[in-house]
Amino acid sequence: MTVATPAKPAVRRPVVKPDRTILLVLFFVVTSVLLIISHQPGMMKSLGPFGDVLRNKVVEALVVSLFLANVLFAYLWKAANWAKLLVGIGSLLFVLPLAGQTDTSLLDLSIQIMIFAALALGLNIVVGLAGLLDLGYVAFFAVGAYTWSIFASPRFGEVLKYYGENPGATGSGTLAIGLVLTGVTAGSMLYIRGLHGRMAPTRLSSLSFLLAGFGLLSGIILVGRSILVLASGSAAAVASGINPGFFWLFLALSIMAAAIVGVLIGLPVLRLKGDYLAIITLGLGEVIRVLANNLGLYTAGSQGITPIGSAPVPWFNSLAGSLGFRPDQYSLLFLYVLVLIVIAVILLVNVRLDKSRIGRAWVAIRDDEIAAQAMGVPLMQTKLIAFATGASFAGVMGMIFAAKQTFISPESFNLLQSITVLSMVVLGGMGSFSGVILGAAVVTLLNLRILPGLGEASANVPWIPQEVNPANFNRFIFGSILVAMMLLRPEGLLPNKRVARELHHEDDQEDESEDGNASGLKQGGDVYSAGLATIKEDDRPGGER
Amino acid sequence: MELSVLLPFIVNVIVGGLVLGFVYAIIALGYTMVYGVLQLINFAHSEVFITGAVVGFEIFRVLQDSAMNGYLKLLLALLAAMTVSGLLNVLIERLAYRPLRGAPRLVPLITAIGVSLILQDVLRFLEGLQGRFDLTYTLPTGFGNKFCATDSTCAPVGNFLRTIGVDVQLKDVILVVVALVSLLVLNYVVNRTRLGKAIRAVSQDRVTAGLMGIDSNRMISATFLIGGSLGGVSGVLFGMKFGTVNAYSGFDPGIIAFTAAVLGGIGSIPGAVLGGLLLGVIQNLIGVMNIFGNLLGFANLGTIDASYSKIGPFIVLVLILIFKPTGLLGKSNVEKV
């Protein structure tokens, strides 16, 4: 006897993405071959007219973007894990360096893309996760770059020489005074801070805290100055910069320096919100640039610092040599690998932070500051951590940037750079890691390849005046990216799910109404937030609340 | 430096700062009005006002050989600049900001930055088509002369000014007069007309104003029109004052003017004027700080020079926002425009 099995109710399966393993591998092979061919000058010549097309800068940019799209597809498509791994590792570790062997500009471009990807990831923490619009982000990049450049270039010797010639009344006595002052003031600051933990700060205690802060600052200046004077004897020894072996130490120092500057800038300004914060950070970014321009002794002013050393890696060089690289390519290849490692670490930190307590606190602050505070999120501290984390990514990449360029000047760190990074974040999608990396790749390719390529193409056309050379249209491009994305797709190309839902609040209402509590959300603008909520009528972001 | 030389020098610096301050004040009004109705920093205002400067430059360039009266040329330039800048500002609002009404706060702000960048390159492109980048004003003859140097009717005034050590050019006086007239007209429009009343109502409470039968979108457009026209005026004045402008030169005065608006209390018209004047003077004083340094024996001050006057406004902005975020004239129930 058979019991008729009741027909199973139709289960609505989630849409299954088609498996694209074969497509992915095929795409990888084709683009890799194309990339390698297009960077082999000898082979291009034999290709005749086709080679000429490939040599065009714009076409080259397209080839490179197609190639980089591999990595993107490996991330997005559903495919076997081995294929994803193969494409990711194969393209970044084998094909790119291989193609770069005959054409180092490709390595340079890749390093540049990854540097900007790291900057975008850093800014993404500040803008995308914590909702604090920072328009002076490139200042941290500058701090990292100058931290290494001053020491790893002839500048350091000149600074020491200057202090040797102008010791003033400085000597070991000053060092002692400075150390005592630093110790005492730092101690009293800690003590007052401890007191404030136990009782409400009074006017007097706040004042003494401020006073101790000034004392600490002057103590540090005294110590620094006397150390410089005492060390001035070795000016000749560091005439071409300190031992490049310090590179690894400075990798950590640049992170720390940028984070400290981030906290110092953040402390006064993070009480402000929204647009005020934007304009203040813009201002402080400019302040740092102007300082770099004017502190000629340390930064060589507008002439810039050069040459800047890089890490000595004999074992890596011999490895590269055995792989067939030329000695003049070693340094670039090394930086490429270094940048790859650093960005992998940064990405890991990002992903881990995003899921951590602090990451959730950032998102909470972005979405609703008051609610976050009510839930016990310490506002200032959390915002400062966001600033410092974002800054430290910029700091380490600034140092690598300086080592790659071997030349930096204040003009490398102007407002347009901050806007560039912002447009990467906006293009890719605020809060989305894969998005901002994509944004960084697209904008950098536009900036470094496509626009100059168009510029070269138009340079030979007689009726286009030099003043309208497309190579100079980067402001227009970035502006259009910002406006178009904000008007048409504010969540970015590869949106973060949460942000997308937030931004399309009204569209979701129908879906949510099943839960019965969507009606309360109908107004859409009832939530107060510095970052992503709508503007309320009597909302004055200027002051503290 | 001798005191007898120093005093007139300082007076000149201050007077120069005040003249500059009037330009900043008019620019600041554009920011403060838009901020009053939309709570948005209109980053594009710096380009709106540079557009005015470019239009003024074109008018002066076209008319440079005509025998027209210099004041008439100036009037034409001002009117043209007002029209173009005003309409441009309305257009920006219509295309870029209105679709984002009610959107999250960062969204219109980023859009404004984008619009500002686009306009910079469009302006550069338009002038670049004719092979120009730096636009040098050709002012009508006589505008660059010393004030009341030859005219017998006002010679006593001029002589008096020169005895106390103030040396102003005719164009500076014109500039101040134009600025004052614009301020008076603005004050009349905002405080005495129905339009002004409606704008004030919208800036106080858009929803309630709507219930009272005020079309808030039209009022916002009107605000952008007025702010943009003021931007046009300030552009021409800026061009007259500095002589040379280019598509990118709106940024610095834009930031200073915004700082002025915040310094005075954003949303407040008298505040914007006061802030502008103060910042003009402060900026000029920082520019000559090295002289004070040498005078008092602080050699370190000698290294503070004109390049630092660029960051002066930012420092001021940080200080105000930390210590008195409502600004000098801003009250909690400030009358916004």
Side-chain angles (χ1 to χ4, degrees):
Chain A
M1 200 173 85
T2 54
V3 181
T5 48
K8 275 185 188 163
V11 178
R12 216 170 40 162
R13 289 224 180 80
V15 185
V16 181
K17 284 201 239 168
D19 188 283
R20 287 174 171 155
T21 310
I22 301 169
L23 199 63
L24 183 66
V25 174
L26 211 65
F27 189 73
F28 170 57
V29 172
V30 171
T31 51
S32 303
V33 170
L34 206 59
L35 185 80
I36 292 175
I37 289 180
S38 69
H39 290 87
Q40 296 274 5
M43 210 181 282
M44 296 247 281
K45 274 210 187 86
S46 62
L47 282 174
F50 182 62
D52 285 340
V53 172
L54 275 184
R55 233 177 326 199
N56 186 315
K57 262 198 168 172
V58 180
V59 177
E60 192 222 336
L62 285 180
V63 170
V64 175
S65 5
L66 276 180
F67 175 74
L68 290 179
N70 267 320
V71 186
L72 178 69
F73 290 150
Y75 171 79
L76 287 180
W77 284 354
K78 178 181 157 63
N81 280 339
W82 61 264
K84 290 190 171 198
L85 223 60
L86 172 83
V87 172
I89 294 180
S91 47
L92 291 178
L93 278 186
F94 294 101
V95 181
L96 250 182
L98 190 64
Q101 198 171 358
T102 46
D103 184 358
T104 32
S105 74
L106 188 64
L107 279 184
D108 197 285
L109 179 70
S110 322
I111 297 176
Q112 203 74 285
I113 288 179
M114 283 190 280
I115 287 179
F116 275 111
L119 289 183
L121 280 170
L123 188 64
N124 179 49
I125 289 187
V126 181
V127 179
L129 295 183
L132 311 161
L133 184 53
D134 180 356
L135 292 181
Y137 184 65
V138 84
F140 307 131
F141 191 54
V143 169
Y146 274 108
T147 308
W148 171 240
S149 311
I150 292 172
F151 288 96
S153 71
R155 264 295 110 192
F156 189 48
E158 281 172 40
V159 172
L160 285 186
K161 212 170 91 194
Y162 171 84
Y163 279 105
E165 285 161 7
N166 305 284
T170 316
S172 25
T174 324
L175 181 64
I177 296 175
L179 281 176
V180 169
L181 191 61
T182 311
V184 168
T185 47
S188 40
M189 279 175 88
L190 281 178
Y191 175 70
I192 299 172
R193 214 184 128 73
L195 267 187
H196 284 178
R198 271 176 279 131
M199 56 175 228
T202 62
R203 183 175 277 265
L204 198 65
S205 68
S206 315
L207 198 69
S208 22
F209 191 72
L210 198 68
L211 214 62
F214 280 118
L216 184 65
L217 194 66
S218 38
I220 290 173
I221 290 176
L222 274 184
V223 171
R225 194 189 149 85
S226 46
I227 287 177
L228 282 176
V229 170
L230 291 176
S232 61
S234 52
V238 291
S240 62
I242 53 170
N243 183 350
F246 280 110
F247 186 86
W248 306 105
L249 174 69
F250 270 82
L251 218 48
L253 279 183
S254 64
I255 294 177
M256 261 160 50
I260 290 173
V261 173
V263 170
L264 286 183
I265 287 187
L267 269 177
V269 307
L270 279 176
R271 284 191 277 181
L272 308 167
K273 296 191 286 296
D275 26 17
Y276 278 73
L277 181 68
I279 208 146
I280 281 267
T281 46
L282 181 157
L284 290 175
E286 286 289 292
V287 168
I288 288 197
R289 194 176 62 81
V290 171
L291 282 182
N293 235 330
N294 285 287
L295 297 176
L297 173 61
Y298 305 99
T299 65
S302 51
Q303 335 169 337
I305 301 181
T306 191
I308 299 162
S310 178
V313 272
W315 55 271
F316 185 88
N317 291 350
S318 58
L319 181 70
S322 63
L323 287 173
F325 283 88
R326 290 196 310 274
D328 58 320
Q329 298 172 330
Y330 291 168
S331 156
L332 210 57
L333 188 69
F334 163 71
L335 286 172
Y336 175 77
V337 176
L338 179 68
V339 152
L340 213 55
I341 295 170
V342 171
I343 197 149
V345 172
I346 286 180
L347 202 55
L348 192 69
V349 169
N350 257 307
V351 171
R352 299 295 297 167
L353 273 179
D354 185 39
K355 297 206 167 86
S356 74
R357 191 187 170 81
I358 199 82
R360 280 175 285 138
W362 287 334
V363 175
I365 287 185
R366 178 191 72 195
D367 289 347
D368 190 335
E369 217 174 286
I370 293 179
Q373 198 172 19
M375 290 297 140
V377 174
L379 280 190
M380 198 63 188
Q381 196 182 329
T382 316
K383 286 181 180 178
L384 276 179
I385 293 174
F387 243 60
T389 318
S392 59
F393 295 169
V396 65
M397 279 307 181
M399 175 175 168
I400 295 176
F401 175 77
K404 179 182 87 71
Q405 299 291 79
T406 69
F407 167 80
I408 56 165
S409 78
E411 279 319 301
S412 325
F413 311 106
N414 54 19
L415 175 71
L416 199 60
Q417 297 282 338
S418 294
I419 303 266
T420 310
V421 181
L422 179 68
S423 63
M424 290 167 186
V425 174
V426 168
L427 179 69
M430 288 190 268
S432 146
F433 302 134
S434 47
V436 297
I437 294 178
L438 173 69
V442 171
V443 172
T444 313
L445 277 171
L446 260 176
N447 226 354
L448 295 183
R449 281 291 186 277
I450 296 181
L451 285 180
L454 288 175
E456 260 175 39
S458 79
N460 303 323
V461 187
W463 52 268
I464 301 182
Q466 211 45 48
E467 281 81 4
V468 296
N469 191 332
N472 300 334
F473 268 89
N474 35 16
R475 284 169 201 253
F476 183 81
I477 304 273
F478 299 149
S480 309
I481 289 177
L482 293 178
V483 174
M485 293 309 288
M486 283 298 119
L487 286 174
L488 304 173
R489 200 177 155 85
E491 70 272 27
L493 290 178
L494 292 179
N496 174 314
K497 282 204 186 73
R498 217 191 129 101
V499 174
R501 238 181 310 163
E502 186 112 12
L503 285 164
H504 291 280
H505 207 259
E506 297 82 17
D507 312 352
D508 283 355
Q509 299 286 300
E510 277 75 36
D511 306 358
E512 284 177 13
S513 56
E514 288 169 26
D515 305 332
N517 55 6
S519 56
L521 295 170
K522 274 277 191 280
Q523 291 304 315
D526 266 2
V527 192
Y528 177 82
S529 150
L532 283 171
T534 48
I535 300 163
K536 264 170 82 173
E537 286 303 315
D538 54 351
D539 181 19
R540 287 261 173 270
E544 300 165 71
R545 266 189 315 254
Chain B
M1 205 186 279
E2 291 285 316
L3 199 66
S4 57
V5 189
L6 186 70
L7 211 60
F9 178 75
I10 296 299
V11 172
N12 261 323
V13 167
I14 291 178
V15 170
L18 285 176
V19 173
L20 194 60
F22 271 107
V23 182
Y24 290 151
I26 308 278
I27 308 172
L29 287 173
Y31 282 102
T32 217
M33 290 183 66
V34 168
Y35 198 94
V37 291
L38 283 185
Q39 280 84 50
L40 164 76
I41 298 177
N42 185 9
F43 268 92
H45 190 72
S46 53
E47 276 61 50
V48 167
F49 116 81
I50 274 302
T51 307
V54 172
V55 171
F57 162 79
E58 289 293 340
I59 298 283
F60 280 129
R61 188 180 64 84
V62 170
L63 294 179
Q64 65 177 332
D65 294 327
S66 80
M68 198 188 276
N69 184 331
Y71 293 99
L72 208 59
K73 288 181 187 173
L74 176 66
L75 190 67
L76 273 180
L78 284 174
L79 285 178
M82 280 172 78
T83 318
V84 174
S85 293
L87 292 180
L88 177 67
N89 215 15
V90 172
L91 194 72
I92 293 172
E93 193 269 334
R94 193 75 192 75
L95 295 181
Y97 303 155
R98 190 173 296 180
L100 299 174
R101 201 75 47 80
R105 164 151 249 148
L106 280 186
V107 172
L109 188 61
I110 293 175
T111 313
I113 297 170
V115 171
S116 155
L117 292 173
I118 293 177
L119 285 178
Q120 285 178 8
D121 261 357
V122 168
L123 270 181
R124 189 182 57 81
F125 176 75
L126 289 179
E127 286 300 320
L129 278 181
Q130 301 163 56
R132 284 193 288 266
F133 179 69
D134 276 322
L135 313 173
T136 307
Y137 266 58
T138 43
L139 287 176
T141 41
F143 275 29
N145 291 349
K146 281 187 176 143
F147 179 56
C148 289
T150 51
D151 191 351
S152 57
T153 51
C154 75
V157 182
N159 285 336
F160 170 70
L161 287 179
R162 273 186 288 282
T163 22
I164 60 168
V166 182
D167 243 343
V168 286
Q169 290 179 340
L170 182 57
K171 66 173 185 185
D172 293 332
V173 178
I174 295 174
L175 190 153
V176 172
V177 170
V178 171
L180 283 175
V181 170
S182 338
L183 285 177
L184 288 179
V185 171
L186 178 74
N187 193 41
Y188 175 77
V189 170
V190 168
N191 287 327
R192 295 271 184 276
T193 60
R194 273 176 77 86
L195 176 74
K197 206 181 227 178
I199 291 178
R200 276 182 290 147
V202 170
S203 81
Q204 271 172 14
D205 189 335
R206 204 184 308 155
V207 178
T208 315
L211 294 176
M212 302 297 133
I214 296 171
D215 182 348
S216 64
N217 275 337
R218 272 186 61 193
M219 287 310 127
I220 289 171
S221 289
T223 313
F224 273 83
L225 184 68
I226 297 173
S229 323
L230 285 171
V233 172
S234 54
V236 177
L237 298 184
F238 183 77
M240 275 171 60
K241 174 83 184 142
F242 286 92
T244 305
V245 294
N246 64 44
Y248 300 148
S249 55
F251 177 73
D252 288 332
I255 292 290
I256 295 171
F258 176 76
T259 308
V262 177
L263 175 62
I266 197 140
S268 145
I269 290 182
V273 177
L274 179 69
L277 293 178
L278 273 177
L279 274 187
V281 174
I282 291 175
Q283 196 191 10
N284 263 12
L285 283 179
I286 295 178
V288 296
M289 189 72 103
N290 46 359
I291 290 165
F292 292 102
N294 296 339
L295 187 76
L296 302 174
F298 290 113
N300 278 338
L301 280 181
T303 57
I304 295 181
D305 58 10
S307 58
Y308 280 91
S309 63
K310 254 183 98 172
I311 61 177
F314 293 125
I315 309 287
V316 173
L317 187 61
V318 173
L319 293 179
I320 316 158
L321 286 179
I322 292 171
F323 293 108
K324 198 167 186 328
T326 50
L328 295 176
L329 298 187
K331 299 183 194 97
S332 48
N333 56 347
V334 62
E335 180 192 65
K336 298 179 295 180
V337 176

